[in-house]
Amino acid sequence: MSDKRSYLYSTALDRVETESSKLQKDFQTSFEKIKTALLFFDPTTSVFNPQLKEVAVKQNWGRIFLYRNVQGSLQLMDFIGTDFSLGPVLQQKLLRLQDQQVLTATDLKKPEWLQVFFRQGEFYIYGEMQFPYLKEALQNPQLGFYSPAETQWHFPPVFSALSQYNSQLASVLDQKSGVKEIKLGARSYLISFKFVAQINSYVFQVFDKGQVFAVVEKTMNKTLLVSVIILIIGLVAMFFGVDTLTQNLSKLASGMSQFTKSGTARPLKLHSQDEVGKMADVYNSMLAKIESLLAQTAEKARMESELETAKEVQSTLLPKNKVEHDLYNVKGFYKPASECGGDLWYYYCDDKKIFLFVGDATGHGVPAALITAAARSVLSLSVDEDIWDPARILGMLNKVLCDVAKGEKMMTAFACVYDIDQKKLTYSNASHDVPFVVPVVESGTKIKKGDLNFLTEANGKRLGHERSYEYINESLAFTSGQNLLVYTDGLVDAVDKEAKAFSERGVIKMAVDSANKNSQRSLHDQIARRISEYTEGIEQPDDITFVNIFLK
């Protein structure tokens, strides 16, 4: 009987442990959305990134409100989703939070929403987030829930009659987790339970003790019969003197019996080269592969969800890849090394000026993509504020990246403004790859590398390196027929199938050849075609980006 009781208790507790783990993972998914929103909040303008808002609404994240404590009162900075007024009770709950503290609240009558209270530094965040798994779990015919704070109960349909024993059941739920026996009315029950802090509630299952022990006994009898049969085979083998085979069969039978009882398995250690040893090796290999596959599947699903969100956000950050004008062409090329890239390019034109920006965040993937999103929100602000000073814009970007990335991520960048009337190019550089201007080639002459105008002046520190750093501008004449080429290091580091880099020399050679062939206007298309052929089917070490402005 003690074996039956141990097996039953272990199985019952495993079930609620599994459900509580799913609830915890669902909470973590919701909370990561709040942290993502914080990363996309611009403290200089006190607003969330508009592209993130669009994605959050499209994916139905819920509602996120960001406040600042102003002399003991909460001042709303911005929100995602629909607006509403935060009542005094919820305000006081927020104000009592310590830095990095998280509190949650759920209503079992409205399980699809989770209230989250979170503080990060000077910011206080209230969220009503989608919590789909709780709603799904409440529909599970075997699960019950109890919220001590709200004194709310939810019983599985099969045991709905037990709702009259709320007080007795509540007295049993006095630990974080466990399995206990309780007598309710004329019958005895087993209750397995676990407290899930993320929803401030217990998850529990109730079993009719008599019925469950009958099923367990029947199962164990079948298991015993199988074990006896295997042991009989072993005894027959022993009768014929095959001692080693008998011992290994006994171990195999014991392992299978344990698996039948507990639903879990451990690798078998059989030092044998016969058929039984080979069976054990195959069995062990199968278990290892299953465990590895399950772990990889869970991790892959989590990463794919994060990457899909980041990829969708980033797709809204880049402009159209070309603009045709009577006086100029602007063309861009972007190819990320992974699902999400760390390169960013952007332009803005009006009747008098052209603004161009190219940046490269350290690394690539999701972390670098988040940095580019923060930078993009600053560029949108500079357009809204009618700022046409490259050094000032880099300074704004630098302060924001210092605040957001805390020195862990940085970005190289080049920004320039072309004045159409004055035919003047003003630029500033934050440790970015040096751009160059391809001159007009006079008829009957040829140019060399030394004739290219490399924009080496006004070079400063990387964005995110030093918050107080001040960038400077430099200017030069930029006239009809000339071509400006700006690129990231991914272009020169691009490799072919033999791992040979495209190189800076390759870029410069194409620029010189196009000028000497009087085909400057198509320089962008030539490089795009060449780099696509060069890298076709080859995984690249970095994102590839280049942009050019050609004056007609």
Side-chain angles (χ1 to χ4, degrees):
M1 179 62 72
S2 62
D3 288 342
K4 296 177 184 177
R5 188 185 303 275
S6 298
Y7 166 71
L8 182 59
Y9 280 24
S10 175
T11 302
L13 190 58
D14 284 345
R15 289 179 178 178
V16 293
E17 291 275 5
T18 299
E19 295 301 324
S20 65
S21 295
K22 292 178 180 178
L23 288 165
Q24 289 166 355
K25 288 180 180 179
D26 203 29
F27 163 78
Q28 195 61 40
T29 299
S30 297
F31 188 59
E32 284 296 329
K33 292 174 181 175
I34 290 179
K35 292 171 72 176
T36 298
L38 273 173
L39 186 60
F40 284 89
F41 178 75
D42 186 349
T44 61
T45 59
S46 297
V47 296
F48 289 111
N49 179 276
Q51 286 82 15
L52 175 75
K53 281 187 173 184
E54 183 180 338
V55 171
V57 171
K58 182 179 178 181
Q59 295 186 354
N60 198 19
W61 286 9
R63 302 194 292 190
I64 301 174
F65 299 83
L66 190 143
Y67 301 87
R68 182 179 278 128
N69 187 348
V70 180
Q71 297 181 347
S73 298
L74 291 178
Q75 177 183 340
L76 178 64
M77 308 302 292
D78 197 9
F79 63 91
I80 294 174
T82 56
D83 192 10
F84 91 119
S85 178
L86 192 66
V89 175
L90 297 181
Q91 287 194 33
Q92 289 302 314
K93 193 169 184 177
L94 268 179
L95 286 169
R96 287 194 294 268
L97 292 176
Q98 302 295 318
D99 190 20
Q100 301 301 321
Q101 184 180 1
V102 183
L103 293 178
T104 59
T106 53
D107 185 348
L108 296 180
K109 296 178 181 179
K110 299 178 180 179
E112 65 271 18
W113 296 104
L114 173 73
Q115 288 182 308
V116 181
F117 304 82
F118 176 51
R119 177 184 174 187
Q120 180 170 298
E122 62 177 328
F123 298 121
Y124 294 76
I125 300 92
Y126 170 75
E128 291 182 355
M129 309 302 293
Q130 280 278 5
F131 201 41
Y133 189 73
L134 179 57
K135 183 177 181 180
E136 180 183 332
L138 285 169
Q139 296 172 350
N140 188 320
Q142 297 180 336
L143 288 181
F145 291 83
Y146 169 52
S147 173
E150 305 295 333
T151 321
Q152 285 185 318
W153 289 86
H154 170 80
F155 285 92
V158 69
F159 288 110
S160 58
L162 299 182
S163 59
Q164 61 183 307
Y165 301 107
N166 286 352
S167 58
Q168 287 179 257
L169 287 168
S171 66
V172 173
L173 305 177
D174 57 353
Q175 300 174 343
K176 294 297 183 183
S177 65
V179 181
K180 293 188 178 182
E181 298 183 19
I182 184 173
K183 189 166 185 178
L184 303 175
R187 302 185 69 86
S188 294
Y189 297 89
L190 289 177
I191 179 170
S192 61
F193 59 90
K194 181 175 177 62
F195 184 74
V196 183
Q198 288 79 1
I199 61 172
N200 286 319
S201 299
Y202 283 94
V203 182
F204 67 86
Q205 281 191 299
V206 181
F207 307 90
D208 186 300
K209 183 179 175 182
Q211 294 177 1
V212 169
F213 268 92
V215 172
V216 170
E217 185 169 2
K218 183 178 179 180
T219 301
M220 294 188 72
N221 287 339
K222 289 183 178 180
T223 302
L224 180 61
L225 178 61
V226 173
S227 299
V228 169
I229 292 173
I230 295 176
L231 288 174
I232 290 175
I233 295 174
L235 289 173
V236 171
M238 183 182 293
F239 179 78
F240 288 100
V242 190
D243 294 334
T244 302
L245 177 61
T246 304
Q247 292 173 6
N248 289 338
L249 279 171
S250 178
K251 290 180 181 179
L252 185 58
S254 177
M256 293 174 65
S257 178
Q258 180 184 358
F259 178 79
T260 306
K261 289 180 180 179
S262 64
T264 59
R266 294 180 179 178
L268 298 175
K269 298 180 179 179
L270 301 183
H271 303 288
S272 172
Q273 301 299 320
D274 57 18
E275 287 74 13
V276 178
K278 293 178 181 178
M279 288 175 60
D281 290 340
V282 172
Y283 180 72
N284 291 340
S285 177
M286 177 190 69
L287 290 180
K289 289 179 179 178
I290 290 174
E291 291 176 357
S292 175
L293 181 60
L294 289 174
Q296 291 175 16
T297 302
E299 179 65 13
K300 182 179 179 182
R302 182 189 67 81
M303 292 181 66
E304 286 179 348
S305 176
E306 293 179 358
L307 285 171
E308 186 60 33
T309 298
K311 182 179 181 181
E312 190 163 351
V313 170
Q314 192 177 37
S315 66
T316 66
L317 304 182
L318 300 175
K320 295 187 299 183
N321 59 13
K322 66 178 180 178
V323 58
E324 298 278 353
H325 189 273
D326 292 340
L327 300 177
Y328 57 82
N329 292 337
V330 179
K331 292 185 178 181
F333 178 96
Y334 171 71
K335 182 180 180 181
S338 57
E339 288 84 352
C340 299
D343 284 2
L344 173 67
W345 73 280
Y346 177 77
Y347 65 84
Y348 176 73
C349 311
D350 69 5
D351 293 337
K352 300 292 184 180
K353 296 176 182 178
I354 306 170
F355 170 71
L356 175 65
F357 174 89
V358 177
D360 182 4
T362 51
H364 53 84
V366 174
L370 295 178
I371 295 301
T372 64
R376 177 64 169 78
S377 65
V378 177
L379 296 175
S380 296
L381 173 65
S382 68
V383 171
D384 293 340
E385 296 296 323
D386 200 29
I387 300 172
W388 295 90
D389 185 325
R392 182 181 173 189
I393 294 172
L394 290 186
M396 293 166 58
L397 284 163
N398 180 53
K399 288 181 173 62
V400 170
L401 294 190
C402 283
D403 293 340
V404 170
K406 311 297 183 184
E408 295 181 5
K409 290 287 182 181
M410 298 184 192
M411 173 182 276
T412 67
F414 175 85
C416 67
V417 171
Y418 175 60
D419 188 307
I420 296 174
D421 290 339
Q422 298 183 19
K423 300 187 183 303
K424 181 175 71 172
L425 183 73
T426 302
Y427 69 91
S428 187
N429 195 327
S431 295
H432 195 74
D433 292 75
V434 177
F436 57 83
V437 173
V438 184
V440 177
V441 179
E442 299 295 335
S443 178
T445 64
K446 299 287 186 182
I447 67 168
K448 299 179 180 179
K449 173 183 176 182
D451 297 314
L452 301 179
N453 191 353
F454 291 89
L455 309 186
T456 57
E457 306 297 329
N459 203 355
K461 294 183 178 180
R462 289 182 295 174
L463 304 179
H465 183 270
E466 181 182 329
R467 197 177 192 279
S468 60
Y469 188 80
E470 295 186 3
Y471 296 87
I472 61 172
N473 288 325
E474 185 65 37
S475 299
L476 73 155
F478 189 38
T479 58
S480 176
Q482 293 186 332
N483 211 335
L484 170 67
L485 182 66
V486 188
Y487 55 89
T488 64
D489 56 7
L491 176 61
V492 298
D493 292 338
V495 295
D496 61 7
K497 60 183 179 181
E498 296 178 355
K500 181 181 178 182
F502 193 64
S503 77
E504 182 181 25
R505 180 177 178 275
V507 175
I508 292 174
K509 184 178 186 301
M510 290 198 69
V512 171
D513 288 347
S514 72
N516 289 331
K517 294 177 182 178
N518 196 25
S519 59
Q520 277 211 56
R521 184 167 185 167
S522 63
L523 174 60
H524 177 276
D525 297 334
Q526 294 174 44
I527 298 177
R529 183 167 54 253
R530 177 68 178 120
I531 202 67
S532 297
E533 295 171 351
Y534 197 82
T535 62
E536 184 177 5
I538 308 299
E539 182 177 347
Q540 296 302 305
D542 201 358
D543 311 319
I544 302 173
T545 301
F546 62 91
V547 188
N548 86 300
I549 300 177
F550 174 74
L551 300 184
K552 298 179 181 178

